[in-house]
């Protein structure tokens, strides 16, 4: 397949909550024009897809996107040229979850949390979503606060019950995170934990890599490669970070890392949607306007992908076989150092798009329009 | 001075905001009975002092503790056996501060921020506070977002104007922080930056060490020792962390580190309040009840201090001089491994206090009373 | 079982190479009196056991401890009251291994490396060792240098062949390490990778946790707990670190962490040698004298264990069930804050040992004797 | 000045020791053809300069490059088209320095160390070097091992005496490093410490930034910017790292970071040699051939510099002033995403050089020649 064909077929899912207000524990700086309903979030996502051509689905977050009629929401999306994507569960914002959800010492709280997960599968049935994304804020702030091992047992039980509820074409994606909001121990802190549970659960359970959820120094592309080899990589939550889970625009902190990740994907022929890896954004645009930030993020992923597709795989493999360290590294860097923006502009023109989505958005007047029109009501808030 | 005398003279300041609700960006779990006014915060702080005997002052945070009559508040505190301590400024929660406060590119925003700092000095005049604590959330999320150097110029200007406003017996304490809420660059990211500015500003400017504000692996006691040697250590914001600025109870994550910090203090004879180092807590009790968590924190500092006071300084110095690595380390560890709780119980009894403040608090019924009485109104919220 | 009985039955294995010279890449500071042969290393290890009573085995490292007749060496050890322990393979110091050993792109190098591993099993047959410890320095310094996934395939093959060679009572212990000597990617970087391979290999393959081999912020006791639950924890390589793989005396950098690790062991009733967890030291005494440093390390493990055994498990579990964060943390801290040195002194006296092994060693004159006697020949060197 | 003129005037100093064998504590993999004398190191450095046109000086390391007649060595260099650069002192490889050099508790050791520093200035007088580079391995492995504050006093004394010895046109460059070879505390661990001492010492003392010597997450370009503003940045030791002080080829781990650093340099008009910043490499080519690795490193710095020079400073400043986060970040990224290799090829042709130094080196036969000719004698080893 040609580089352009591969790029044309790429799919990047945007998250409904990235269009809404977000912030840090210190302050949420509200932005004018942010959506007030799931419908308005879909409007914004549709703009991103219209301009980039590669973002045709939008992930929902329950309860933030709760609505009476998910079928109607799906139809609304379809009418705007996009589709509903993964369903993200939320078991961390109810007062009952102060000490955990599916790992909570109290069985009643666990039951409530599992109930929410099952409800999310119900919603998937209505939206036609394939993927249930599970992120648990569960963990401990203090040593001794709870029994680490008992919590794993509780986690395993909840995952099993949820997995059993999934339909034949549905999957669960288990996310891991080193820390935050728990500050001593997290119940799914690393890929090893997520992998072990998914292995136990069987084929429907896959690991999600959120690029911001690792300890300093972690080699993320190694994890990508390992999970691909094991057939257990289900999805990415893309974003970028300098320190913790900063949730900045993907590719903005370390574009070379993003390229290395996409290189592993390309090496494993896993870019094609048929390979079953969901490429999703999960970001917080706290100080920059949301829609152009998301467009910029989509472009960053595209650029990293284009570079990865340009790697001369034969030259690379030959140098690797020969143990020629500098030539092998050089083969990779040659692709990384290439300016792929002209190629992507060309591709967009072939796809009938504006070659420069950022400028096109600015010119479109959409930003001004939503500020003007979205007055009153309550701006949507978030999570991360 | 005897160990007990030193411990009897120790002073630990508690922060008004630690008595109020706090949380992460994901969720603030409200607790019943938290204060609704600065007056109620002082009530709680007075309980902590009454039980521990070493927490006679409470820091205020403006605007969270804004009130019409600071003199009245100070008198209220005095009546309850405590005094008002440091004034903490806040230039990060107004919408204008989205891109910074004193480092903002817009001079009007900088002017507003400086205005707040000067207002804080006005308040100090009324409360009789010696210390103005300055923490700036200023920073950048993205490379290129602003000019790093120009921001230092702006920072220097604001600090100068504020410093010039201070009275003869007043000081400014400049805090540094590696990251959060800014995720790419922080304008005062490390002790070096704070030190350089304080040096420029002169004697009234001193550095604050918040124990949670460092990069992984940073040796905090080295910084303590260095600033003590340079005469530039003004205060501590105590808390503890495993990952980022977790704001857990001091001594709960790494009690040995806290001991090493207090060891440097004792070595420099800087424990005595006359030495001018303010020992303050700055914590968030997100999931545990606030008052007993603060009592526990005070006890943790006391225990670390007691151990530091027990170090056999002559044996230590002799081993150091002899280059006897194991004996020198052993001299330090002997003190650390000592159980100082009996000594502290004894001390409390001598001071007319209950030997076990945690149990005494539980028995006091205060927790139940505030839940019962503090109904209606709006529970105080926070910062970190 | 009583606390003392548990402590009496504890077993800590010391590593032959810790008695030999070691250093950093900058300099190896040779110490007088270090062993020149495996026999002299055993002499030193026997001294440690004689004084502590809980270090009855010594691990060997091949080729550093290569000898003509391992049966004779084992007998020599027995005569001195100790036994030979785990066999540690070394496939990182031959010039052929510049780009890796079992993961090397060249099959001839891989064959050579596997040959060494099999030779180690031969040696185990002669020494009667149960455990083969595998640490691979394999990895990459530069992105693109080799194919991450192909290297996993090669690793799996080598592990399989080695595992198949093991006798019925033998095990292989797979160690992971984040980085060093490889600086971009390590082929077994984390517990997840080691676990996945061990799971594939079956019951004879178990994971080793080296306490110095993690990314900053990693919660090691979580990994301990997880592997215990999965039945896949085979051993510890104890040491301590502030930054990277510092290989300092265990318990010297973060004694609270060591306590938390031992707490998980005690909770899982895995302290008893019958549980199959090998507790080994793996340290480098670069600047302090080796034998007393090892004694001190053994004592540090003992003290952490004693504290862990003192945890009031019922009170802890009750507080955890009740969601009482402060009480649960307090139950753990009560044990940690206890001074267990009197208990251990008492235990040693009951065991017919000197209550203070450090002083006893100093008094013994052994240090002076080896300096006097071990003249000429070549002092043993190492690895880590 | 045009971009090309700026690039033409750029100067990058290569370190003599990077041409010699190096390794980790686990193994030094010797390479055939490495230099055996300072003269042969100069031969290799001259090749790098001949091919790149921007590496006209070579730093020496004493005692590794000790020779009878430094004047002769300087002349030898001149004859080959290069000059001798900074003199690097070494007070970490003598047995006396086990517990430190200028910070050692024993005054006799300190005297010896200072003697070496003064000897280095003598050598500078002979080589005509402007810069004395000071890196101290001094530090502690264990808490309590020595008195942190007393060590600062000793350090200050040694620096003062050395500084006083410098001639009018000479400088001292003080390097800092977080850890290694000391693992608990380093006596000059961070830029703040180096800065404070340099400030005290006066104009002749400047800070060196080694890009591999920071805690995880440290924003290096902030430090660059801060020291430039303070007039205290003297030099860079370039290399790159993923974890610790990995000493990989500069630009190989995080090329975006290197670009951001050079962006600060360009912003401050500090690229020109007249600005007094020495741009030096300090790397270890443990597994890749040395000369082409150094050429590649020089090219990496050049490419980062070219991109930094291409930043549209007006557009950037305008977006910054307007608080347009995305546009400001975009202005920076536009330059970074440009492929500057064609420009650099063109520049080289204009300079009469081969447009592709890597290929030119390969074609030159130099690698084969040194392997053939440098037989016998002892290959030069190192430090880092």
């Amino acid at each position: 397949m040609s580089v352009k064909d591969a790029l044309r077929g790429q799919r990047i899912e945007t998250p409904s909550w990235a269009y809404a207000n977000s912030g840090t524990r210190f302050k949420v700086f509200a932005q004018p024009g942010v959506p007030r309903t799931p419908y308005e979030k879909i409007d914004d996502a549709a703009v991103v897809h219209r301009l980039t051509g590669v973002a045709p689905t939008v992930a929902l977050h329950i309860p933030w996107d709760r609505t009476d009629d998910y079928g109607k929401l799906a139809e609304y999306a379809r009418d705007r040229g996009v589709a509903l994507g993964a369903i993200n569960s939320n078991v961390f914002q109810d007062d009952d979850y102060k000490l955990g959800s599916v790992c909570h010492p109290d069985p009643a709280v666990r039951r409530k949390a599992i109930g929410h997960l099952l409800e999310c599968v119900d919603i998937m049935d209505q939206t036609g979503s394939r993927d249930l994304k599970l992120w648990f804020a569960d963990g401990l702030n203090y040593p001794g606060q709870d029994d680490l091992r008992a919590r794993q047992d509780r986690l395993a039980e909840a995952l099993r019950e949820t997995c059993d509820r999934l339909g034949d074409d549905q999957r669960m994606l288990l996310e891991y995170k080193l820390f935050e909001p728990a500050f001593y121990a997290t119940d799914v802190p690393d890929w090893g934990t997520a992998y072990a549970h998914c292995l136990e659960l069987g084929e429907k359970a896959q690991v999600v890599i959120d690029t911001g959820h690792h300890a300093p120094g972690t080699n993320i592309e190694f994890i990508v490669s390992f999970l691909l080899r094991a057939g257990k990589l289900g999805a990415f939550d893309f974003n970028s970070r300098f320190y913790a889970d900063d949730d900045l625009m993907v590719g903005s902190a370390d574009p070379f890392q993003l390229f290395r990740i996409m290189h592993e994907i390309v090496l494993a022929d896993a870019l094609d949607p048929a390979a079953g890896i969901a490429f999703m954004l999960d970001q917080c645009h706290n100080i920059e306007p949301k829609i152009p930030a998301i467009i910029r993020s989509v472009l960053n992923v595209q650029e990293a992908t284009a570079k990865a597709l340009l790697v001369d795989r034969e030259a690379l493999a030959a140098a690797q076989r020969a143990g020629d360290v500098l030539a092998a590294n050089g083969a990779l860097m040659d692709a990384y150092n290439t300016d792929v923006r002209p190629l992507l502009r060309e591709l967009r023109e072939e796809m009938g798009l504006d070659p420069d989505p950022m400028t096109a958005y600015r010119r479109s007047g959409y930003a001004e329009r939503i500020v003007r029109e979205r007055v009153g009501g309550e701006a949507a808030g978030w999570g991360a």
Side-chain angles (χ1 to χ4, degrees), chain A:
Chain A
M1 184 159 56
S2 81
V3 168
K4 275 192 193 159
D5 284 346
L7 289 167
R8 200 177 281 114
Q10 187 171 23
R11 293 293 169 259
I12 300 162
E13 183 161 312
T14 71
S16 70
W17 55 96
Y19 298 98
N21 280 325
S22 65
T24 68
R25 61 174 170 151
F26 295 95
K27 170 73 175 168
V28 173
F29 292 103
Q31 294 190 12
V34 303
R36 295 157 302 173
T37 66
Y39 290 89
E40 290 182 348
K41 293 178 190 172
I42 283 170
D43 289 337
D44 292 356
V47 168
V48 172
H49 181 49
R50 205 143 55 226
L51 289 166
T52 63
V54 295
T57 56
V58 51
L60 299 186
H61 204 293
I62 308 300
W64 301 335
D65 295 317
R66 192 162 272 159
T67 182
D68 287 343
D69 185 341
Y70 290 98
K72 196 178 127 200
L73 189 69
E75 198 187 317
Y76 184 86
R78 256 194 315 279
D79 288 348
R80 268 132 204 93
V82 294
L84 302 184
I87 299 300
N88 289 256
S89 60
N90 176 323
V91 282
F92 53 89
Q93 288 190 314
D94 189 288
D95 279 332
D96 284 341
Y97 299 143
K98 187 163 79 166
L99 301 181
S101 64
V102 295
C103 302
H104 197 286
D106 180 346
V109 177
R110 298 204 295 274
R111 180 47 38 209
K112 173 174 174 169
I114 294 172
H116 174 74
L117 302 185
L118 300 178
E119 180 206 353
C120 284
V121 186
D122 293 342
I123 293 173
M124 291 165 69
D125 290 341
Q126 298 170 60
T127 56
S129 297
R130 177 188 58 180
D131 293 338
L132 172 65
K133 183 131 61 78
L134 302 173
W135 172 65
F136 298 105
D138 287 61
L140 312 176
N141 272 5
Y142 293 102
Q145 180 188 324
D146 198 3
D147 186 298
L148 291 172
R149 184 166 171 170
R151 293 177 76 93
Q152 288 299 314
D153 293 336
R154 299 170 197 150
L155 173 64
E157 268 184 50
L159 291 175
R160 167 54 61 208
E161 184 170 347
T162 309
C163 197
D164 287 348
R165 165 65 184 83
L166 291 171
D168 286 345
D169 298 330
Q170 291 174 334
R171 311 187 302 177
M172 61 194 278
L173 304 172
L174 182 56
E175 193 162 333
Y176 58 91
K177 184 174 186 183
L178 181 66
F179 79 99
E180 198 215 17
F183 293 126
Y184 159 60
T186 293
D187 291 308
V188 191
D190 53 21
W191 77 265
T193 306
Y195 172 77
H197 281 287
C198 286
L199 211 62
E200 192 102 359
L201 291 163
E203 286 194 7
K204 286 182 184 174
Q206 298 276 312
V207 180
V208 189
I209 297 177
D210 183 303
T211 46
H213 288 189
H214 302 85
T218 303
N219 183 324
I220 300 178
E221 61 267 28
F222 175 88
I223 300 172
V224 172
S225 158
F226 196 95
L227 289 175
L228 283 168
R229 179 177 176 272
K232 275 295 180 193
L233 178 60
F236 283 96
D237 263 9
F238 278 131
N239 52 62
S240 72
R241 54 78 73 95
F242 288 94
Y243 304 98
D245 185 29
D246 306 343
D247 278 329
L248 301 174
M249 297 188 296
V250 58
S252 67
D254 188 348
F256 183 42
Q257 182 188 59
L258 180 59
F259 161 76
R260 298 194 309 263
I261 289 171
M262 294 313 301
H263 171 58
E264 292 302 324
I265 292 292
V266 168
L267 274 183
D269 295 321
L271 185 63
D272 193 279
I277 318 289
F279 298 89
M280 308 185 283
L281 303 183
D282 183 7
Q283 308 182 151
C284 292
H285 307 294
N286 295 344
I287 60 165
E288 68 275 21
K290 284 131 197 329
I291 297 173
I294 295 169
I295 294 172
R296 177 72 266 169
S297 303
V298 169
L299 304 189
N300 285 352
V301 175
Q302 266 191 312
E303 290 172 21
T305 307
K307 291 180 178 196
L309 289 162
L310 287 176
V311 171
D312 181 339
R313 290 171 65 167
E314 283 187 32
L316 179 68
Q320 290 175 343
R321 270 192 310 272
D324 187 337
V325 174
L326 289 173
N329 175 247
L332 198 73
M333 297 312 292
D334 269 348
Y336 178 67
N337 286 326
T338 303
D339 188 344
V340 295
R341 293 173 302 170
L343 171 78
L344 285 164
R345 277 191 215 104
E346 212 177 280
L347 174 73
R348 285 186 202 109
E349 286 183 331
E350 290 172 20
M351 291 168 74
L353 302 170
D354 190 294
D356 182 352
M358 291 294 283
T359 311
Y361 177 72
R362 205 155 45 236
R363 269 199 321 261
S364 74
Y366 189 80
E368 293 75 17
R369 185 151 68 81
I370 55 178
V371 169
R372 216 164 46 230
E373 294 181 356
R374 293 176 181 170
V375 173
E378 196 175 353
W382 82 249

